Amino acid sequence: MKEPSKIQQQAITHNQGPALVCAGPGSGKTFTIIQRILYLINICHVQSDKILVITYTKAAAMEMKERFEAESVHTGVHFGTFHSVCYNILKQSGKAAANSLISEGDKRKLFHIILNNLGLASKSGYEFITILINRISKMKNIPDQCMEECAEFSYEEVKHIKEEYERYMQEQNLLDFDDMITECLRLLTENETVRKKYQQIFQYILVDEFQDINWSQYEVIKLLAAAENNIFAVGDDDQTIYGFRGAYPDIMQQFIVDFPKGIQIMLTENYRSKREIIKLAEKMISQNKKRFVKEFHPIKSGGKIILSCFETRREEELRMVKELSLLELEDLYHTAVLVRTNREGIQYRELFKAKGIPVQGKSVSKDDIFHSFIMEDIKSFLSYLFCGKKRCDLIRFMNKPNRFFARAALPCEEVRQEYMEQYYMKNQEMRQAVRQFFEQLCIAEKLGTVMAITFFRKTLGYDGYLQGISKDYRDFQRLCRQADQIQHIFFTYKAGVPIGTFIKLMEEKSDAGISGEIEKKGLNILTMHGAKGLEFERVYLPDVNEGIIPGREIKTEKEHEEERRLLYVAITRAKNDLYLYYTKERNRKLSRYLEGVTPLP
């Protein structure tokens, strides 16, 4: 077992009271937490079942537990996520049952019903419900931002839907993931007996990834830790990248205010990345104002950083393909391409696989197919043709591409051509468009299912719609491939069978060529968010352009600081080599966060 450094030893041997440990990338924070648990048990003689270790993910909790058990004969230490800890408290206190947690599928089905009940059937598709779930989650976790509007739903609509959702959940004694935290917080706040019980059980609390918690989780920790306040919080304010979940660097700053007698320890020795990479990361993140000022100490010298500029994205892609093609399989396994969004990740994944470069994971997952907006659009089209000609189905696809048909032209659930023509009585051009549209639908109805989808895509212009919403040609090709796969699913569909029932059956069978073998060895393609906590020998960061990082929607200084932290996380995943690529295409510029870095030929 390696010996801890002097600063790690200071953190490990901290005994009583609160401590905030700022642990930078590659500073050995997991090692420090494990050694502290062992110190508490072996040296301070704390009973193992009095120790609670909270992590952010289930995988992290399991890894922490396995590493601890590999070094200790003691059992009884509590390892868990915030959600599992809170859920267990609710169950043990009689406020929840083992089956109280609503499944993701049932949750979506409930929102679908609520939207239909409120006359919002046109917004009951998968992507609308995803937006709604995220919006309501934010309202629960970040109350001060609950008045924010979103393009898809007005504040009043969201508020009404939320009320209906919560009414049903209470009637059925159900909880969702957000409720686990908020209901546990309410219980601990209002019930002194329960609060004291768990304060006695959890006398020493260690929190990993402290920068990722939100205010509700922070309040739960404070209540559990009172009155001894034996909180050992380990995190890195420079890696706070989940603002959309309510995690802000303010919480780590507030810890110092709430516990003025607590100690603060800076783990700034970096055992992962070489010096040049750390110097770049430090120069960039130091531009942020809301952070603890710290000085980084890389242990390893050297490191290679290449910043390359390309005229077009095509040239950028060709360079990456050329370089990655030279790597052996084992080297690819230790290499990552980090991108800003999942969409870009899918594009690069398909590009590299097409060029014969092994890529870990699947090129397209079941969720990408069965829960995509394209599936929802095609499902609505087929449902309209073969399952009752419902208004909500027609509304979903009638303006894809835009025919400028008004929803008001469909005054009731019964869809009739004459109603729409009557609405446009004084507009001969629109009346003709309505007649042509319904004539085309009549033709499609007489075709087989697969031919009807082809008719929908080619004659009715849905592929043209996909092209219009695509970022570029590569994105359009990806969407078309997805549409092809969805079309293939419907080869066995028979008219009259409810579309939803058929799709569910096909998803369970997964016999449409989607559930292929998972590539276990090969190149890693991840989003910057998804790469947090990981490390690689070499990292490629394509498209480090203005408009990508920071995104076009980023306006405020607070938003810019989080975007800069995100790029900082991406850069510090690299151990030896870092490749930064950007393009001049369409007058694009290098990200402002990298100003001062000189491009190499």
Side-chain angles (χ1 to χ4, degrees):
M1 185 183 73
K2 74 171 186 176
E3 288 296 318
S5 68
K6 184 178 179 181
I7 196 68
Q8 286 174 337
Q9 188 67 21
Q10 182 186 351
I12 291 165
T13 56
H14 171 70
N15 190 358
Q16 298 286 329
L20 179 65
V21 181
C22 293
S27 60
K29 70 177 179 65
T30 303
F31 168 78
T32 302
I33 292 172
I34 297 298
Q35 295 307 309
R36 170 162 170 73
I37 300 170
L38 294 170
Y39 178 82
L40 289 174
I41 295 171
N42 297 330
I43 307 302
C44 301
H45 305 293
V46 175
Q47 295 178 38
S48 58
D49 61 357
K50 298 295 183 184
I51 301 172
L52 171 64
V53 183
I54 301 180
T55 63
Y56 197 69
T57 67
K58 185 177 180 180
M62 292 300 295
E63 180 190 358
M64 194 83 73
K65 183 179 180 181
E66 288 171 2
R67 287 183 61 171
F68 167 73
E69 290 176 347
E71 295 190 37
S72 174
V73 295
H74 297 282
T75 59
V77 176
H78 305 274
F79 293 89
T81 64
F82 271 101
H83 290 93
S84 66
V85 170
C86 288
Y87 195 27
N88 283 330
I89 289 174
L90 290 170
K91 286 191 292 186
Q92 292 165 12
S93 303
K95 297 297 182 180
N99 60 349
S100 292
L101 181 62
I102 190 170
S103 70
E104 182 67 16
D106 285 347
K107 184 176 182 178
R108 288 182 174 275
K109 189 180 297 182
L110 175 56
F111 275 114
H112 182 83
I113 293 169
I114 291 171
L115 287 163
N116 278 275
N117 290 346
L118 296 176
L120 297 169
S122 62
K123 296 183 178 181
S124 63
Y126 188 87
E127 71 269 26
F128 280 107
I129 291 177
T130 299
I131 292 165
L132 194 58
I133 288 173
N134 292 336
R135 186 75 187 83
I136 289 174
S137 177
K138 199 168 185 178
M139 290 175 75
K140 288 182 179 183
N141 290 302
I142 322 174
D144 61 323
Q145 294 186 21
C146 67
M147 293 299 292
E148 283 183 353
E149 292 285 347
C150 64
E152 295 79 10
F153 296 93
S154 69
Y155 170 73
E156 288 303 322
E157 284 178 333
V158 176
K159 183 181 177 184
H160 196 178
I161 294 165
K162 180 174 179 286
E163 289 170 354
E164 291 295 311
Y165 171 68
E166 290 180 340
R167 183 180 297 116
Y168 177 86
M169 295 287 283
Q170 289 169 6
E171 287 174 357
Q172 302 298 319
N173 294 317
L174 292 172
L175 300 170
D176 62 20
F177 262 70
D178 295 313
D179 295 330
M180 290 182 189
I181 308 298
T182 56
E183 290 304 310
C184 184
L185 176 58
R186 178 181 297 151
L187 176 64
L188 294 173
T189 302
E190 297 175 356
N191 193 316
E192 183 180 4
T193 302
V194 172
R195 183 171 66 250
K196 286 186 175 180
K197 172 186 174 182
Y198 286 97
Q199 287 170 351
Q200 284 298 310
I201 294 174
F202 304 134
Q203 294 184 9
Y204 287 81
I205 300 176
L206 294 81
V207 186
D208 187 23
E209 302 288 6
F210 187 68
Q211 78 281 346
D212 291 338
I213 71 172
N214 60 37
W215 287 105
S216 296
Q217 292 165 339
Y218 180 48
E219 291 300 324
V220 167
I221 289 298
K222 288 197 296 182
L223 286 171
L224 288 175
E228 297 299 326
N229 291 329
N230 289 322
I231 307 175
F232 187 80
V234 183
D236 182 9
D237 55 329
D238 289 334
Q239 296 188 68
T240 308
I241 58 174
Y242 295 115
F244 58 91
R245 296 178 185 165
Y248 300 116
D250 311 58
I251 296 177
M252 291 188 70
Q253 301 275 347
Q254 187 63 37
F255 187 95
I256 301 300
V257 176
D258 292 340
F259 303 103
K261 294 183 179 179
I263 68 167
Q264 186 176 359
I265 301 170
M266 297 287 184
L267 295 185
T268 54
E269 295 172 326
N270 190 297
Y271 298 89
R272 174 193 300 155
S273 305
K274 291 186 175 178
R275 182 176 301 276
E276 293 304 311
I277 294 169
I278 295 302
K279 282 171 59 180
L280 171 63
E282 182 175 21
K283 178 181 178 181
M284 186 185 68
I285 200 62
S286 64
Q287 298 173 52
N288 276 7
K289 296 176 182 177
K290 180 153 283 190
R291 63 187 293 266
F292 292 115
V293 178
K294 52 187 83 76
E295 192 174 316
F296 297 93
H297 302 283
I299 303 301
K300 302 174 183 177
S301 60
K304 181 173 72 175
I305 300 175
I306 293 180
L307 174 64
S308 301
C309 177
F310 303 91
E311 292 296 326
T312 65
R313 292 187 72 184
R314 179 64 177 160
E315 290 180 15
E316 180 185 54
E317 291 172 0
L318 289 174
R319 171 70 70 83
M320 279 200 293
V321 167
K322 180 180 178 181
E323 293 181 355
L324 293 170
S325 297
L326 298 175
L327 297 179
E328 298 293 333
L329 186 61
E330 187 65 26
D331 293 326
L332 286 172
Y333 182 69
H334 296 289
T335 301
V337 175
L338 305 185
V339 295
R340 185 65 183 83
T341 66
N342 280 316
R343 171 182 282 191
E344 292 163 322
I346 292 170
Q347 291 173 349
Y348 278 113
R349 182 182 299 276
E350 294 187 3
L351 167 69
F352 295 138
K353 286 181 77 72
K355 298 296 183 181
I357 299 171
V359 178
Q360 287 194 55
K362 300 176 185 175
S363 58
V364 181
S365 71
K366 274 178 39 173
D367 282 347
D368 291 332
I369 296 298
F370 284 101
H371 300 149
S372 70
F373 76 90
I374 298 177
M375 173 63 89
E376 293 292 328
D377 291 343
I378 291 177
K379 183 173 75 172
S380 293
F381 174 68
L382 295 178
S383 182
Y384 176 81
L385 292 183
F386 304 126
C387 298
K389 295 182 172 55
K390 297 174 186 174
R391 178 179 183 270
C392 61
D393 287 327
L394 184 63
I395 284 174
R396 182 172 181 94
F397 70 83
M398 68 182 185
N399 283 318
K400 296 180 178 181
N402 200 347
R403 297 176 176 87
F404 302 97
F405 290 159
R407 293 183 183 183
L410 298 165
C412 56
E413 283 303 312
E414 182 185 9
V415 175
R416 297 184 62 175
Q417 178 180 337
E418 53 263 40
Y419 291 164
M420 289 190 74
E421 287 196 49
Q422 187 176 1
Y423 181 83
Y424 294 111
M425 187 169 50
K426 297 180 181 180
N427 188 331
Q428 182 60 34
E429 187 176 336
M430 286 301 292
R431 288 180 68 189
Q432 179 58 35
V434 169
R435 281 195 290 270
Q436 182 182 358
F437 181 59
F438 276 91
E439 286 171 3
Q440 290 172 325
L441 292 179
C442 286
I443 295 171
E445 191 177 356
K446 297 173 184 176
L447 302 173
T449 308
V450 176
M451 286 301 297
I453 296 174
T454 300
F455 189 87
F456 176 59
R457 293 177 61 185
K458 307 303 180 184
T459 306
L460 285 172
Y462 187 72
D463 278 6
Y465 162 75
L466 293 179
Q467 186 171 15
I469 65 171
S470 300
K471 290 172 59 179
D472 49 37
Y473 181 73
R474 189 174 67 192
D475 192 32
F476 173 54
Q477 290 296 99
R478 177 183 67 83
L479 294 178
C480 284
R481 282 192 294 270
Q482 196 173 102
D484 290 341
Q485 290 173 302
I486 290 169
Q487 188 166 354
H488 181 77
I489 290 171
F490 286 95
F491 266 112
T492 59
Y493 175 73
K494 303 296 182 184
V497 177
I499 295 289
T501 302
F502 174 79
I503 291 173
K504 185 175 182 181
L505 178 64
M506 296 302 291
E507 185 174 6
E508 289 172 355
K509 288 183 177 179
S510 295
D511 61 359
I514 296 167
S515 54
E517 289 294 317
I518 298 176
E519 189 74 55
K520 294 181 179 179
K521 282 274 188 174
L523 179 67
N524 299 272
I525 301 179
L526 302 161
T527 63
M528 294 180 181
H529 281 98
K532 187 168 170 288
L534 303 176
E535 59 182 40
F536 305 93
E537 295 295 327
R538 63 195 63 78
V539 168
Y540 287 81
L541 295 179
D543 307 319
V544 284
N545 285 89
E546 286 285 308
I548 302 295
I549 179 84
R552 292 185 182 88
E553 74 284 359
I554 302 302
K555 305 296 182 187
T556 67
E557 184 59 30
K558 183 177 182 180
E559 291 172 331
H560 272 293
E561 292 213 349
E562 178 155 332
E563 287 282 286
R564 191 179 284 113
R565 290 194 294 268
L566 184 59
L567 184 55
Y568 170 78
V569 166
I571 287 172
T572 54
R573 299 311 93 196
K575 296 168 71 174
N576 298 320
D577 304 328
L578 176 66
Y579 299 84
L580 303 167
Y581 291 164
Y582 73 104
T583 70
K584 293 182 179 179
E585 192 172 69
R586 297 178 186 173
N587 296 316
R588 288 177 172 147
K589 297 179 180 178
L590 175 67
S591 170
R592 69 188 71 183
Y593 307 147
L594 293 172
E595 288 177 356
V597 181
T598 305
L600 297 176

